[in-house]
Every structure is written in C-alpha cells, then in structure tokens.
Amino acid sequence: MRRLVAFVAAVFVALILYRWISQERLQYFAPREELATPTPEPSPTRPPPIGGKLDTGRLFNGITLHASIEPTPGGDATTERVDPESYVLELKLKPRVPTPNRTIEELAKVSPKLPELLPALSSMLPSEPVSPLFAQLYDTKIRMLRENLGRLDLLLSRHNFFDCQTILQLQHPQTHRKALLLQADMDVDADGSDGDRMTVGTGAPTNFKPFTSYRWPKKTAQPNPYLAATQDKLKRAEDEFAAKTTTADRKRDLRNAITQLRAEVTTLQKYSFLIGTTDPYIVIPGAFARDREGAKTGDYSLVIFGDGIYPAIVGDIGPNDKVGEASFRIAKEINPQSTPYSRPVNELKATYLIFPGTADTPFGPPDLDNLQARCQKLVDEIGGATVPLHHWENIIPPPPSPTPTPSPAPSATLSASPVGSTSPAPSASATFAFPLASQRTNR
C-alpha cells in the first residue's frame, strides 16, 4: 500500500508539472500582442535638395516647375547601378525672350505721361530704334542661365530676367543730340562713401560697397569712414594667414582676400566716391560702358517716373545681366518708403534717358547746380520738357566748426602804446561739394 500511495502521488505531481510546463511553452510560442506605437509625424524640415543646394520644389526665384518621373525598363540592378545614364535628371529651362517696345504708343503703355513730358520724343524714333544692347542684354541673361543651370539657387529670378522693357537709340532730327532710352524697374544702390564730405558712414546694408565707379582724388586728409574697418579686415586676414594652424586650402582663399583688401585700402586712401544716400545717380550694366553706342561713367541722364523728371549722372557700373538701378537718393524721392531692401518701382515703369558722351572730366565732387543746368541744356536739345526738372537740394550736413583757440591774457608789463597793431586774419569760409541754399547763386 505504501508503494501504491507513493506511485499515485508521484503520478499526480508529474501531471501537475507537465501541465505547468505545457502552459509556459504555449505562451512562449504563441504570437505576442505588440504594443501600438504612434506613427511619427512627418518632419517639418524640407526634403533633401538636389546637389545639397536647393529644394527644386520650392524655388524662391519665381521659376515655374513642371516635374515628372518617366521610368523605363533596364538591365539587372548590378549593371544599372554603375551606369551613370541609368539614373538621370534632365533640367530644361524654357525662358521666353521678350520683344522690346518700339513705338511711342508702346512706350506710353508703360509710362503714360512720357509723350506729354517730352513732346519731341516721337520725332527722335528712327524706323529701327531698338539698340543692339537689348539683344546683347538678353543674350547675356541666357548665357548666365546656362552657366548656372546646375546651381538652381544661382539662377536669375523671374523678376530679374524680365527687368528690361526696351532699349532704344534716339537722335533729335535738328540738334542731332543722341540719347539712349531704357524702360525698366528700379532697384536701389546704396553704395559709395566720401570722407571729405561725410566723415561718418551711412550704414552698410547687405552687399554694400564703399566704392562707386565715379571717383576722384581726395581733396582733404580726412579719412574715409570705412577705411578703418577695411584695414581691420585686412589685419585679421593677414594674422590668420600667418598662423601655423591655417590649412593650405584656407591660405589659398586668404591670399586672394588679402590681395583684394589691400587694393581696397589703397583705393579708400586715395579716392572719394559718390554717396548713394545723398547723390542722384543711376547704374548701368558693364556691357553698356564697353559698347561704342553705349553710355559711360559720368554721362548725364534723366530718370522719368510718373510726372517727374529727375536729373542724374551715370555713377556706377553693375553686373552685365541686370538693368534698372538708381541711387538711394533718387529712390527715396520717388517713393519715400524705399529702403536698400525695398525697391521704389517694382514694375517696368521707370524710364532712363542717358546722353552718351556728355561726361565732364576730370571727375570731382558733384555740383547739384551744375547738374541741374547741364541736364536742362540737354533736355532743351531734345525739344524741351513740359515740366521743370526736379531740383535737388543739398542734404549733406556741413562739417562742425573748429573750436577757436582762446587768446592769451594780456600781460601787465606790455606797453600801453604798442609799436604796431595787427588786424585779425579773415576766416576762410568752408566750401562744400553740395552748396548750401544760402551759398547758391542764380544761374
């Protein structure tokens, strides 16, 4: 009986163990219920750009993008992976080259007041008035697009591609006075500096340069307000170049920068320039200055917008593929809301009339009265205007008066009757490039 009881107990324990082991094994092999994880939201960052430069789906420059994928059957993946033609992106930009305005009616569609302001303008239009500079300008734009097609962030924007309505060669039938007419928008040029006239800078917006193409030898020893900062840049570049930790590639870049900065320091020490915030001037493409029928730095010009005619000179040379730029002084007069980052005329409604070959040499500080008189004479030579030319006022503050040196107290031992007396020397009145209203004389 004892053996029977022991056997039954052993069987019972074995059954319990078997059942427990079986349940554990079943739970191990049974499919487990996965905890639900939330689907991550898409990242707010933009998708990877082509070439690491720019997302082609979000072009900032106004180019309309038509994108499609056209798969074709190929070989095995190993072969296609090493074939550069198996995975190709073709970029094809299709810009429409505009047709220039030719007639006075077409010019008036853009600037309705133009025929009224310059009544003889229609008589100055030859049968083929379009200047070769127009075709040259758009050829340059197309060439620049080709060169930068692999860098979509460097392509001309839609605005800058269509920035010129027309370029016409004009000549008055009686006086034979020639003129170059452009219809374009108006960007802002805030460049330039002149320590002789303004001892402090006028600010340094993005892409600011303290130089303009119109320049002349300095008249005083007063340093250019941007000279110290340029010298500081030069010193930092030279110190970095001389450092032992500077890599060869970095030294190559620094060498070019040092050469440029040394040239800038020398130029700022020797010359004065127009000031974008105070001087009325326009900017032309560099190709215009090199063309026989184009304009040159210093040529007199007019800016016509709305019902106003503004005297100016060609004061700076810009890139070859852009047209339509005037100094900040002109921009603020046309649109008081203008800033170096906000153009006064966004549409192609600004007319620029340049008189080639009229520059006065040698160059010097601008004289606003002379500018008025010269432009008036040129306007008279093309039949006159129905409104007075805008008169530019001097807005450059006069330099501070020097502090007078106090006279020494009279000595008690001096004789009451001096042998001779000296009269005080007459004080020299300051002469400014922009005469004050009280200093102007009628001409």
Side-chain angles (χ1 to χ4, degrees):
M1 289 296 292
R2 292 179 180 175
R3 291 180 179 177
L4 179 60
V5 172
F7 176 79
V8 172
V11 171
F12 182 77
V13 172
L15 289 174
I16 294 175
L17 291 174
Y18 177 80
R19 180 176 177 79
W20 179 77
I21 294 172
S22 298
Q23 288 181 347
E24 289 295 317
R25 292 183 65 186
L26 286 173
Q27 289 181 0
Y28 180 82
F29 289 103
R32 298 184 179 181
E33 182 180 356
E34 296 288 339
L35 294 177
T37 56
T39 303
E41 294 293 331
S43 173
T45 59
R46 62 186 188 182
I50 293 177
K53 298 298 181 183
L54 185 68
D55 175 13
T56 58
R58 299 179 182 178
L59 293 179
F60 69 93
N61 51 14
I63 297 176
T64 301
L65 178 67
H66 298 293
S68 63
I69 297 178
E70 301 176 357
T72 58
D76 62 273
T78 300
T79 302
E80 298 295 1
R81 173 178 284 186
V82 297
D83 186 353
E85 296 300 317
S86 65
Y87 203 66
V88 176
L89 173 66
E90 294 181 353
L91 292 177
K92 184 182 292 185
L93 183 60
K94 298 180 179 179
R96 294 179 184 172
V97 178
T99 300
N101 287 347
R102 288 179 166 84
T103 66
I104 192 67
E105 291 78 16
E106 291 174 337
L107 296 177
K109 288 181 180 180
V110 178
S111 302
K113 292 284 188 179
L114 188 59
E116 177 185 337
L117 295 174
L118 300 174
L121 190 61
S122 58
S123 66
M124 299 176 63
L125 292 169
S127 56
E128 291 295 334
V130 179
S131 169
L133 292 172
F134 184 83
Q136 181 178 336
L137 171 67
Y138 275 92
D139 286 344
T140 302
K141 290 177 182 286
I142 297 297
R143 177 174 55 81
M144 297 294 289
L145 290 177
R146 287 196 181 101
E147 292 177 358
N148 294 322
L149 191 56
R151 286 290 306 274
L152 299 183
D153 54 332
L154 296 181
L155 291 182
L156 277 174
S157 66
R158 179 191 294 268
H159 177 92
N160 284 329
F161 185 80
F162 298 105
D163 64 359
C164 183
Q165 190 81 6
T166 192
I167 304 175
L168 303 181
Q169 290 178 325
L170 311 178
Q171 184 172 12
H172 194 272
Q174 280 78 44
T175 64
H176 304 291
R177 168 59 64 190
K178 293 183 178 181
L180 194 66
L181 183 146
L182 291 79
Q183 279 187 326
D185 58 7
M186 184 183 293
D187 292 327
V188 178
D189 187 308
D191 292 344
S193 58
D194 180 4
D196 296 343
R197 293 183 291 153
M198 289 190 69
T199 58
V200 295
T202 56
T206 305
N207 299 327
F208 171 83
K209 296 179 178 62
F211 323 98
T212 59
S213 301
Y214 188 103
R215 67 182 189 181
W216 61 93
K218 282 181 59 61
K219 308 293 184 182
T220 73
Q222 182 66 39
N224 187 288
Y226 298 96
L227 175 60
T230 307
Q231 290 173 325
D232 185 57
K233 288 181 182 178
L234 174 60
K235 185 179 185 306
R236 292 200 306 268
E238 290 174 337
D239 291 345
E240 185 179 355
F241 184 85
K244 295 181 179 180
T245 57
T246 305
T247 64
D249 290 342
R250 178 59 179 163
K251 283 192 173 185
R252 182 176 61 251
D253 295 337
L254 287 170
R255 187 178 294 109
N256 296 333
I258 289 171
T259 300
Q260 179 178 345
L261 288 169
R262 285 175 178 171
E264 291 181 3
V265 167
T266 301
T267 302
L268 291 174
Q269 289 173 334
K270 293 176 59 178
Y271 296 100
S272 290
F273 311 90
L274 297 175
I275 306 172
T277 56
T278 63
D279 299 334
Y281 67 83
I282 65 172
V283 183
I284 62 172
F288 285 27
R290 294 189 294 270
D291 191 273
R292 186 169 57 90
E293 299 296 330
K296 301 292 188 293
T297 302
D299 283 343
Y300 288 93
S301 62
L302 304 172
V303 177
I304 305 168
F305 181 75
D307 56 1
I309 303 178
Y310 305 88
I313 62 171
V314 176
D316 210 357
I317 304 298
N320 292 331
D321 57 346
K322 295 179 183 178
V323 169
E325 191 172 5
S327 67
F328 194 21
R329 177 75 190 273
I330 296 178
K332 290 289 285 185
E333 188 66 35
I334 288 177
N335 184 350
Q337 303 302 317
S338 301
T339 71
Y341 309 102
S342 176
R343 61 180 65 92
V345 183
N346 193 53
E347 299 178 339
L348 307 179
K349 294 183 177 294
T351 300
Y352 305 86
L353 202 62
I354 306 172
F355 301 98
T358 58
D360 292 330
T361 55
F363 293 164
D367 184 328
L368 294 180
D369 288 336
N370 180 66
L371 173 65
Q372 182 92 14
R374 291 285 282 121
C375 286
Q376 184 63 60
K377 184 175 184 298
L378 292 168
V379 168
D380 293 341
E381 291 179 1
I382 60 170
T386 57
V387 298
L389 302 187
H390 177 80
H391 182 73
W392 295 108
E393 292 288 341
N394 172 40
I395 60 174
I396 294 182
S401 301
T403 304
T405 303
S407 301
S411 172
T413 59
L414 288 178
S415 171
S417 301
V419 175
S421 64
T422 58
S423 60
S427 61
S429 61
T431 303
F432 305 114
F434 292 96
L436 298 175
S438 60
Q439 295 175 330
R440 292 193 180 97
T441 57
N442 295 327
R443 296 192 178 186

